Amino acid sequence: QVQLVESGGGLVQPGGSLRLSCTTSGIIFKIYDMNWYRQAPGKQRELVATITSGGSTNYADFVKGRFTISRDNAVNTVYLQMLSLKAEDTAVYYCNANYRLFGSVYWGQGTQVTVSS
């Protein structure tokens, strides 16, 4: 069965850094586009970053060069390196896998990121 498991969330101070990981199983990881979404309390889930199966990346405007998405196909894992964190980055961060050809979509359970002094 398919599993996406996020880790690396936690409590950090403004200006701090955090690296999220999402390790997958049950999918052919290398053919999937991978995404990070986030959802803050009272807000809609929003797309943060994308990395395609070919390694092309895209970022939401609010990231402002602070976040970097990467993948390691050898260990079926996608990462989100977050720098210069702000209070407004506080949210549950979700890993998403998307195989566009077949319309296959999978979600992780989420990991909490809290940015507070």
Side-chain angles (χ1 to χ4, degrees), residues 1-68:
Q1 62 186 334
V2 176
Q3 282 192 282
L4 282 65
V5 180
E6 300 97 332
S7 62
L11 175 64
V12 296
Q13 294 183 325
S17 301
L18 214 54
R19 192 194 197 202
L20 307 183
S21 299
C22 172
T23 298
T24 71
S25 60
I27 63 171
I28 306 174
F29 179 80
K30 67 180 180 182
I31 70 173
Y32 277 74
D33 296 342
M34 299 299 299
N35 308 280
W36 286 99
Y37 287 77
R38 71 186 188 187
Q39 187 166 23
K43 300 292 185 180
Q44 275 196 205
R45 190 169 299 187
E46 60 186 354
L47 179 63
V48 176
T50 296
I51 184 165
T52 69
S53 60
S56 179
T57 60
N58 284 289
Y59 299 92
D61 289 340
F62 54 76
V63 171
K64 298 181 179 179
R66 298 178 296 124
F67 293 3
T68 302

Side-chain angles (χ1 to χ4, degrees), residues 22-117:
C22 172
T23 298
T24 71
S25 60
I27 63 171
I28 306 174
F29 179 80
K30 67 180 180 182
I31 70 173
Y32 277 74
D33 296 342
M34 299 299 299
N35 308 280
W36 286 99
Y37 287 77
R38 71 186 188 187
Q39 187 166 23
K43 300 292 185 180
Q44 275 196 205
R45 190 169 299 187
E46 60 186 354
L47 179 63
V48 176
T50 296
I51 184 165
T52 69
S53 60
S56 179
T57 60
N58 284 289
Y59 299 92
D61 289 340
F62 54 76
V63 171
K64 298 181 179 179
R66 298 178 296 124
F67 293 3
T68 302
I69 188 171
S70 61
R71 67 191 296 157
D72 187 346
N73 290 344
V75 292
N76 301 328
T77 300
V78 62
Y79 306 95
L80 186 67
Q81 179 68 60
M82 304 185 293
L83 307 179
S84 302
L85 284 161
K86 305 173 180 180
E88 50 263 44
D89 295 318
T90 295
V92 177
Y93 284 72
Y94 296 92
C95 180
N96 166 275
N98 186 1
Y99 184 44
R100 290 172 292 169
L101 182 61
F102 288 171
S104 301
V105 179
Y106 301 100
W107 292 90
Q109 81 290 345
T111 186
Q112 177 71 50
V113 172
T114 302
V115 185
S116 177
S117 58

